[in-house]
Amino acid sequence: MDYIAALTPPTIMAVAFTALIVTIVKSQGGANKSKEDAAVDAALASAEATQQKRDA
């Protein structure tokens, strides 16, 4: 019975990790994809502009 106790925590972690990955994959895209993409593009543009100001 010790082997069951030893295998339970890694099994639970594996199931939880799989559920997390499935949730992340399912939440990609959808109705808010363009809004999320625009927010990322704006953040990248802001970071790039800041970097260029520092370099100049």
Side-chain angles (χ1 to χ4, degrees), residues 6-38:
L7 291 176
T8 301
T11 304
I12 291 172
M13 291 301 292
V15 170
F17 183 72
T18 303
L20 175 67
I21 297 301
V22 168
T23 302
I24 290 172
V25 169
K26 282 186 176 182
S27 69
Q28 298 299 308
N32 291 329
K33 182 169 179 25
S34 61
K35 191 188 312 180
E36 293 169 357
D37 288 347

